[in-house]
Amino acid sequence: MSDAKAPVRAATVPVRSGTVSSTITRRTSMSDADDEAIPHTDSSESTNLLLERLRAWKHMTGYLEDYVSTTAKVSRANSKDYEKVLKSVSDPLKEGHHFSSSAGGVAGLFENMRNNSQGIVNMYLDTEKNLKSGVLPTLERLHKEIKNKSKELKSGAVKGAKAVEKARQATQKHIELLGQNSASFDAAAAGKIEQQHDPYLLRRMINHRLNKQVNEENSHRQDVLSLQNSFQQFEAHVLQTIQGALEQFFQQMNSQLDRQRAMHADILGTAQLIPPDFEWMNFIVSNDAKLVNPDSPPRAFENISFPNQDHRATQSLIEGSLERRSRAVIKGFSTGYYVVTPAKYLHEFKDDDDFRRDPSPELSLYLPDCVIGSIDGVKFNVKGKDVSNGKVGNAFTANTELTFKAHTPADAEKWWSVIKESTRSQSLSQSVASTGVASATSSAAASRSTSASHQPEKTSDAPETGVINTTNITDAKDMAASPTSLSRTASTASHFHTSPGGSAVQETSEKS
């Protein structure tokens, strides 16, 4: 038999340049989304779409396997049918002696029929064998390759999408906490805010988590883009493998009847006409809005904003580097980054970098509960309790006198003034004015003057008006009944006393 060639038909490959307008629209919408801390897009959308496409290729390959396998079964069935045909002419002709036994006669005709019938039987058996040993293994290997591609996508991009969602949830949680505590700060500006709910800290924690989220998003985007770019080459390989398998199939079926040969030649010709990138370019055109645009820039942290980012509670009253004497006196002074927040906390950090590590304070003092000493050149003292260890840790933390040193006396004066102002308890003065505790305060001051005449009382540091606090009133009465003795630190020549109501008041010792 002569070899038959598959018909060739031209195929048109779609061009992506026709989607310029939609690409510009996507880029504009994505740039708007870059300004949001938590984008509304699904990080796994592109990955799920690519996984669905792999399943489509896998099922298509399965259809081809079924097609070839069923054709092999039909070939075996045809061989059995032709065995019946062979059996019909296997017996010698009756009254065969009436015919010549030489070649070219009636007997030779039937002998030729038997040989050709056996050849047709063998042909169908060979077709079944060749299809199962040649074409089917090629398609089965391709099927496994597509499955492995799906596993690779799941193990990489899908995990990356989960990491992005986890990072977004962490950022969203802290943004919500900042919103709640910022509202609480506005509603009760004089009230105490828990250290871990300080809006300043929450804002810095959001910076840390948002930076981590952006890194996860960009890393996941790059992974998906790499997989997306590799799909064109992979699909070309899939199509070329299918073309090779169908060519083997065509060669096996080409020895059968002319009609079968024409039908399978048309199948091969149709498969061979498909350009390697034909399906991929159609896929790009129809799913342009869902795939990652390689022309869009990565997200930038500087362009992102979030609610309450510039709230007044998140802005420091003063911040910068100070030196603090170590509790182990041998070590001397160590430098740290300190911040006084509107929530009346003095926080200590290793540095002002929000990105390298989570900005959790090394030390936190709630200033209304602290006592501030006088300035000695560039030094000043603050006595209070470190509340950075949480409720359980704070219960076992005692008051500590801390010595700070600024770079210049002017800097020390700025820090001392801001800290002193933050130690004022606005709730005490209103409490004293409304209940008549002012007389008890004067009595307590007179008693202290008797026990320590060299320390005149300063009325300029009296607490400002605020919300009535019955606890402070009780403390003031107790102070009036039992004056507290004064103490002076040897290192800074400063002394501390507690004003009525628990507010921290600094008194400067008089020079004789």
Side-chain angles (χ1 to χ4, degrees):
M1 295 182 179
S2 61
D3 294 338
K5 294 185 179 180
V8 178
R9 291 194 295 270
T12 303
V13 180
V15 181
R16 196 176 184 183
S17 59
T19 62
V20 172
S21 59
S22 63
T23 303
I24 294 176
T25 303
R26 283 183 55 208
R27 187 178 299 113
T28 302
S29 62
M30 291 184 69
S31 63
D32 294 338
D34 282 349
D35 297 333
E36 299 177 356
I38 309 297
H40 299 294
T41 58
D42 185 2
S43 59
S44 61
E45 184 179 30
S46 298
T47 305
N48 292 335
L49 182 62
L50 294 176
L51 283 173
E52 183 180 359
R53 183 164 181 82
L54 285 175
R55 285 195 296 271
W57 280 112
K58 182 178 67 175
H59 293 154
M60 183 278 299
T61 306
Y63 284 174
L64 286 178
E65 289 179 72
D66 293 339
Y67 180 84
V68 176
S69 178
T70 303
T71 303
K73 292 178 181 179
V74 170
S75 295
R76 186 170 186 84
N78 286 340
S79 69
K80 293 182 179 181
D81 289 340
Y82 271 92
E83 287 180 352
K84 297 177 182 178
V85 175
L86 176 60
K87 187 177 181 180
S88 66
V89 293
S90 60
D91 294 336
L93 289 173
K94 294 182 178 179
E95 292 82 28
H97 57 280
H98 290 278
F99 303 104
S100 173
S101 59
S102 61
V106 172
L109 171 62
F110 277 89
E111 185 63 23
N112 181 271
M113 292 174 61
R114 284 189 287 270
N115 293 335
N116 286 324
S117 296
Q118 185 63 54
I120 292 176
V121 171
N122 294 336
M123 178 193 68
Y124 279 113
L125 291 175
D126 290 340
T127 299
E128 179 200 17
K129 178 181 177 181
N130 293 332
L131 290 177
K132 288 185 175 181
S133 62
V135 181
L136 274 179
T138 302
L139 296 175
E140 289 170 355
R141 285 192 298 270
L142 179 61
H143 201 139
K144 291 181 179 178
E145 288 181 24
I146 297 175
K147 284 185 177 180
N148 292 335
K149 186 73 172 178
S150 299
K151 291 180 180 179
E152 176 187 353
L153 184 59
K154 289 180 180 179
S155 62
V158 173
K159 289 183 179 179
K162 291 181 179 179
V164 169
E165 290 303 318
K166 183 177 180 181
R168 287 180 177 178
Q169 291 173 5
T171 304
Q172 181 64 36
K173 178 181 177 181
H174 281 74
I175 290 176
E176 292 173 359
L177 284 176
L178 177 59
Q180 295 170 4
N181 288 280
S182 298
S184 299
F185 184 89
D186 291 334
K192 178 179 179 180
I193 297 178
E194 294 296 330
Q195 180 268 343
Q196 64 272 21
H197 293 159
D198 189 345
Y200 175 86
L201 291 181
L202 292 175
R203 192 258 299 174
R204 292 188 64 176
M205 290 178 180
I206 290 174
N207 289 344
H208 173 75
R209 285 159 178 81
L210 186 56
N211 180 68
K212 181 178 179 182
Q213 171 194 323
V214 170
N215 291 337
E216 291 287 354
E217 289 173 344
N218 290 336
S219 177
H220 175 62
R221 175 188 179 277
Q222 189 60 39
D223 290 342
V224 175
L225 190 59
S226 298
L227 287 170
Q228 184 176 307
N229 292 335
S230 69
F231 260 58
Q232 181 173 355
Q233 182 179 359
F234 180 75
E235 290 197 4
H237 165 69
V238 171
L239 280 173
Q240 289 169 356
T241 303
I242 291 173
Q243 290 170 350
L246 287 177
E247 185 174 2
Q248 288 180 295
F249 178 78
F250 172 72
Q251 290 173 354
Q252 296 300 325
M253 303 305 296
N254 192 37
S255 60
Q256 296 187 19
L257 300 176
D258 291 342
R259 198 181 81 167
Q260 291 177 326
R261 183 170 60 251
M263 290 173 58
H264 294 297
D266 182 66
I267 294 175
L268 178 60
T270 302
Q272 289 179 334
L273 286 175
I274 302 176
D277 57 348
F278 178 82
E279 289 292 340
W280 175 247
M281 296 307 296
N282 276 283
F283 173 71
I284 288 289
V285 171
S286 59
N287 296 280
D288 185 69
K290 295 182 179 180
L291 295 173
V292 174
N293 188 348
D295 298 328
S296 64
R299 298 189 73 193
F301 175 82
E302 296 78 9
N303 300 331
I304 298 176
S305 61
F306 50 85
N308 298 303
Q309 181 178 9
D310 298 321
H311 191 276
R312 61 189 182 88
T314 66
Q315 309 301 318
S316 63
L317 299 179
I318 187 173
E319 60 180 295
S321 61
L322 290 175
E323 295 184 53
R324 177 170 65 85
R325 186 189 299 277
S326 174
R327 294 172 185 174
V329 182
I330 302 176
K331 295 183 179 178
F333 285 86
S334 59
T335 303
Y337 192 83
Y338 293 85
V339 179
V340 178
T341 70
K344 300 182 180 180
Y345 280 98
L346 173 62
H347 298 296
E348 175 189 349
F349 302 93
K350 289 185 180 297
D351 51 42
D352 61 342
D353 190 348
D354 291 343
F355 305 145
R356 183 171 54 185
R357 62 173 67 90
D358 195 347
S360 298
E362 304 291 325
L363 172 74
S364 291
L365 300 177
Y366 185 58
L367 295 176
D369 293 342
C370 298
V371 180
I372 179 173
S374 61
I375 300 177
D376 182 10
V378 295
K379 299 179 182 178
F380 60 91
N381 287 17
V382 177
K383 186 175 182 180
K385 180 189 290 188
D386 182 9
V387 295
S388 63
N389 297 323
K391 292 184 178 179
V392 178
N394 294 342
F396 300 96
T397 304
N399 286 350
T400 305
E401 182 176 343
L402 304 173
T403 301
F404 296 93
K405 184 167 69 173
H407 300 293
T408 64
D411 289 343
E413 179 67 27
K414 291 180 183 178
W415 278 94
W416 184 87
S417 299
V418 174
I419 294 175
K420 176 174 175 292
E421 183 66 24
S422 297
T423 59
R424 298 179 184 273
S425 175
Q426 296 182 3
S427 62
L428 174 62
S429 59
Q430 185 178 6
S431 173
V432 173
S434 61
T435 59
V437 183
S439 59
T441 306
S442 301
S443 178
S447 177
R448 289 195 299 274
S449 175
T450 302
S451 61
S453 60
H454 65 285
Q455 298 178 2
E457 181 182 2
K458 294 183 68 176
T459 59
S460 61
D461 291 340
E464 298 177 359
T465 60
V467 181
I468 296 176
N469 190 320
T470 56
T471 303
N472 293 339
I473 297 173
T474 303
D475 293 342
K477 291 180 178 179
D478 293 340
M479 293 293 293
S482 178
T484 304
S485 61
L486 304 177
S487 62
R488 180 186 298 272
T489 61
S491 61
T492 62
S494 64
H495 61 270
F496 301 88
H497 73 84
T498 304
S499 68
S503 64
V505 179
Q506 176 274 335
E507 292 190 0
T508 307
S509 63
E510 295 182 352
K511 295 184 179 178
S512 58

